[in-house]
Amino acid sequence: MKSIFSETSQVPFAAQVEEIVASTPVFDIHTHLYSPAFGELLLWGIDDLLVYHYLVAEAFRQSDVPYEKFWSLSKTEQADLIWDALFLQHSPISESCRGVLTTLQALGLDVKKRDLPGLRKWFAGQKVEDHINHCMQLAGVRKICMTNSPFDDLERPVWEQGLAQDERFVAALRIDPLLLSWQETASTLADRGFQVTADVTQEKTISEVRRFLSEWSKRINARYVMISLPPDFAFPAQTAAAQLIERAVLPHCREYNLPFALMPGVKRAVNPQLKLAGDGVGLTDLTAIQNLCAQFPENKFLTTVLARENQHELCVLARKFRNLHIFGCWWFTNVPSLIEEITRMRIELLGMSFTPQHSDARVLDQIVYKWQHSRRIVARILVEKYAELAQSGWQTTRAEVERDVKDLFGGAFERFCGM
Ligand code: FIX
Ligand code: ZN
């Protein structure tokens, strides 16, 4: 058996593991990207990179521009202000700033010139189709899962008209308004011809919600159903959300063999003046997830949590319930120090039965830095873990490393989903 640790190997094992991690194609299982059929909903290019809400939040710390003034500026003017505040007046050292530079460098641009007009000129010369191929190739991404909301007035008509299939992009059905603002959503559904009332205990309302979920799951060919949740999410509970989950969402997921993704920990609009950049984080009582996994063993659950303090408890829950697949270092945890800590802990507690990362990209180009940065960390941890196995006398073959990395980068997720 040829081992990557064998003394006769020409290439040191660490370099082989790094090469495998760097080159294994990934399935990016949660993004906010769109396929080209959605036209301008697919964001890309330097100005969209600069006005990403992660950077907006940071720019307000380094600029005293009034909120209303900033929001009245054009996208280009906002990008100018952010470039000046975060890249020129201070070193762009935060993860979100460094990410822009990693991406630009990978695209072959000379970042040290600090030439924003020059960068804009280069992007203006790109064709979106070629740029998608280029970014996916640089990031090593084989498939992108979108976040698709039937409640989004820009996105919905595109689905309703029917769109050209693009094998690289798959859909996930996002249902936050259905569960978190049921009163308003009930009227929206009623306006769209679903016979619902505000009363979620009514059989007719539940069957109509299920009809709505079926229609949309089929229309978009959803791979899973998903929601982000506030830290105070509880289950079971007398809330509309809990009732709808139990009586409509979970039966729907069982019927269509779809996992239900729950992403708890986000406190929406902690500072509403920051708009999309104004959400915060809070600690969740994960008993809700435990109850769901225990009471509904026929359902599959996907979960990532926003609070660092919830990560260990989530890992332990995944050890207890094989109908729970945990994924990604989400949003405020998608920074090198926390990716390292969380991924190492997950590997130590779960082996390879989880998905370490998703990009959450909102701008196409971001997949380049998000995956390059995460791959380096995953490689470092794996090198260390295989070396520890070698110390225990277990020699890992190259094929075994390839198999493991495939699992981490989408294989385990696809198996869990039954894709
Ligand atoms: O709820 C979510 O899917 C979050 O990822 C987003 O709402 C958030 O704005 C984001 O972009 C985080 O990365
Ligand atoms: Zn997201």
Side-chain angles (χ1 to χ4, degrees):
M1 188 169 65
K2 192 166 184 310
S3 161
I4 61 168
F5 297 105
S6 97
E7 282 169 15
T8 55
S9 172
Q10 297 300 302
V11 186
F13 80 88
Q16 293 201 46
V17 174
E18 279 156 13
E19 183 262 302
I20 293 166
V21 173
S23 63
T24 302
V26 304
F27 182 171
D28 196 343
I29 69 170
H30 170 54
T31 76
H32 297 266
L33 301 175
Y34 291 92
S35 70
F38 289 86
E40 294 194 345
L41 289 183
L42 172 61
L43 305 178
W44 61 283
I46 185 63
D47 286 335
D48 280 306
L49 281 170
L50 289 172
V51 301
Y52 185 33
H53 69 78
Y54 291 24
L55 291 174
V56 168
E58 290 169 31
F60 273 112
R61 301 187 55 73
Q62 299 289 15
S63 158
D64 49 17
V65 64
Y67 293 115
E68 321 76 62
K69 172 80 176 50
F70 179 82
W71 296 117
S72 72
L73 301 175
S74 68
K75 190 202 286 183
T76 315
E77 290 166 333
Q78 290 176 354
D80 284 339
L81 188 149
I82 292 172
W83 177 256
D84 184 62
L86 295 182
F87 292 77
L88 302 183
Q89 301 302 324
H90 307 272
S91 289
I93 212 159
S94 74
E95 176 63 5
S96 322
C97 289
R98 179 172 76 112
V100 174
L101 302 178
T102 300
T103 297
L104 296 175
Q105 189 191 36
L107 288 167
L109 297 158
D110 184 358
V111 294
K112 65 180 175 302
K113 285 188 186 156
R114 294 157 167 74
D115 174 14
L116 184 53
L119 295 171
R120 285 192 172 123
K121 204 165 156 210
W122 183 85
F123 278 98
Q126 304 308 303
K127 290 203 182 74
V128 67
E129 256 310 330
D130 297 339
H131 196 58
I132 295 173
N133 291 334
H134 195 186
C135 289
M136 288 184 77
Q137 178 253 320
L138 289 172
V141 168
R142 66 180 161 90
K143 231 179 228 316
I144 290 175
C145 191
M146 307 178 277
T147 295
N148 304 102
S149 173
F151 302 103
D152 183 313
D153 290 334
L154 296 175
E155 176 177 354
R156 184 163 45 92
V158 183
W159 289 111
E160 285 170 344
Q161 282 149 28
L163 51 94
Q165 284 297 321
D166 186 322
E167 294 291 305
R168 299 166 299 180
F169 291 81
V170 294
L173 180 61
R174 181 83 179 217
I175 58 167
D176 300 30
L178 182 73
L179 301 186
L180 300 178
S181 342
W182 168 247
Q183 300 293 324
E184 294 97 289
T185 305
S187 349
T188 309
L189 291 187
D191 292 346
R192 292 198 207 160
F194 293 91
Q195 292 169 44
V196 296
T197 67
D199 181 0
V200 289
T201 62
Q202 268 186 10
E203 278 313 317
K204 185 67 183 171
T205 294
I206 293 297
S207 63
E208 285 292 274
V209 170
R210 285 191 63 178
R211 182 163 72 86
F212 168 79
L213 292 170
S214 300
E215 238 177 50
W216 277 94
S217 293
K218 284 191 273 193
R219 177 173 286 140
I220 72 175
N221 188 16
R223 305 308 161 106
Y224 58 89
V225 179
M226 72 179 306
I227 184 168
S228 292
L229 292 160
D232 61 3
F233 170 67
F235 187 94
Q238 289 310 313
T239 57
Q243 302 284 320
L244 285 164
I245 287 176
E246 178 162 0
R247 305 182 62 204
V249 177
L250 296 182
H252 168 76
C253 289
R254 289 194 295 273
E255 181 182 346
Y256 287 82
N257 190 28
L258 295 175
F260 182 34
L262 301 115
M263 303 164 63
V266 53
K267 283 189 186 163
R268 294 286 179 204
V270 166
N271 181 355
Q273 311 237 57
L274 288 175
K275 300 196 177 183
L276 194 56
D279 299 338
V281 58
L283 195 64
T284 302
D285 180 353
L286 294 183
T287 310
I289 306 291
Q290 177 187 318
N291 291 338
L292 284 164
C293 293
Q295 287 171 32
F296 301 96
E298 305 299 320
N299 278 95
K300 297 187 242 187
F301 299 96
L302 294 165
T303 296
T304 189
V305 283
L306 198 50
R308 178 192 189 188
E309 297 77 3
N310 271 137
Q311 302 295 337
H312 182 251
E313 190 183 354
L314 182 67
C315 271
V316 175
L317 267 185
R319 291 176 63 87
K320 306 299 133 188
F321 296 102
R322 62 179 166 182
N323 59 339
L324 174 62
H325 185 89
I326 71 176
F327 71 95
C329 298
W330 180 25
W331 201 343
F332 310 117
T333 65
N334 197 356
V335 293
S337 59
L338 297 183
I339 300 171
E340 174 121 23
E341 170 183 300
I342 294 167
T343 307
R344 180 172 277 113
M345 175 173 64
R346 287 172 171 175
I347 285 195
E348 288 169 356
L349 282 165
L350 300 168
M352 304 289 170
S353 64
F354 70 100
T355 300
Q357 198 53 302
H358 68 274
S359 76
D360 234 310
R362 282 182 180 265
V363 182
L364 171 69
D365 319 61
Q366 289 167 344
I367 60 174
V368 176
Y369 90 81
K370 298 215 186 205
W371 283 107
Q372 286 195 1
H373 289 186
S374 288
R375 279 179 201 269
R376 276 180 224 147
I377 299 167
V378 171
R380 191 154 65 231
I381 296 168
L382 286 180
V383 166
E384 176 193 306
K385 293 295 160 197
Y386 290 125
E388 285 168 4
L389 285 185
Q391 280 165 13
S392 304
W394 184 271
Q395 296 204 328
T396 310
T397 65
R398 185 179 170 97
E400 285 167 339
V401 175
E402 285 168 352
R403 172 205 58 197
D404 293 347
V405 177
K406 266 191 201 145
D407 272 356
L408 291 174
F409 286 172
F413 170 82
E414 286 172 311
R415 239 184 353 265
F416 179 80
C417 297
M419 279 177 191

